[in-house]
Amino acid sequence: MQEPKSAADLLTYRLLRLSNSLGLYSSRRYRRDFDVTLPEWRVLSVIAAQETTTARDISLTLATDKGWVSLSVDRLVSRGFVKRSPDKLDLRRSLLTLTAEGRRLHDTIMANARRRQKRLLGALAPGTIDQLIASLERLQAEADRMLDELDVESGETRSK
């Protein structure tokens, strides 16, 4: 690979551009077809995967701001997709679960996401998908190490 000549040649730029393009597609599609924002979908998907969780745990899973998660949770609760109940072990926390309607919505959007993934992966040469996934996992691990090093240098800590 050649030395990058501009920001557009950097791997991070390319990955961010791809992520933004896919995020924009999902945002428009989920808003149009399901009246759900992309942040709401991301929160919904974490709750579905964990079955019962907290806003803090969702924030850690998505590596995003807890306030952003709380706003999405509030909207999902008000629309009847998520149920909030007190944590009996820690009354300061609320436990989040999907309602039956939330589960149906999740499953419908997930089917849409699987079709999108199949289409995207169909653009790759046969036999390269496993290599791509493994490469992305290695890049994520290295990015996490870089962030940890930065935290050590600056005296900050990030929750995982």
Side-chain angles (χ1 to χ4, degrees), residues 147-157:
L147 203 52
D148 289 342
E149 289 168 9
L150 189 62
D151 287 347
V152 168
E153 289 172 14
S154 65
E156 295 180 26
T157 57

Side-chain angles (χ1 to χ4, degrees), residues 96-115:
L96 305 168
T97 55
L98 294 184
T99 63
E101 188 176 348
R103 173 60 66 186
R104 279 190 297 278
L105 177 64
H106 169 270
D107 292 349
T108 301
I109 296 174
M110 195 63 203
N112 184 284
R114 285 186 187 105
R115 284 190 299 276

Side-chain angles (χ1 to χ4, degrees), residues 41-97:
W41 160 242
R42 289 178 176 157
V43 167
L44 200 69
S45 69
V46 172
I47 298 171
Q50 297 179 1
E51 295 188 15
T52 300
T53 191
T54 64
R56 180 182 181 278
D57 290 340
I58 294 168
S59 177
L60 292 173
T61 298
L62 295 175
T64 193
D65 180 65
K66 198 165 55 172
W68 172 89
V69 170
S70 291
L71 289 173
S72 295
V73 166
D74 289 346
R75 287 192 302 263
L76 291 167
V77 167
S78 71
R79 294 179 62 204
F81 297 129
V82 170
K83 178 184 174 198
R84 187 186 337 235
S85 56
D87 183 343
K88 293 176 182 159
L89 300 177
D90 185 349
L91 295 177
R92 296 170 296 173
R93 298 184 334 162
S94 294
L95 299 177
L96 305 168
T97 55

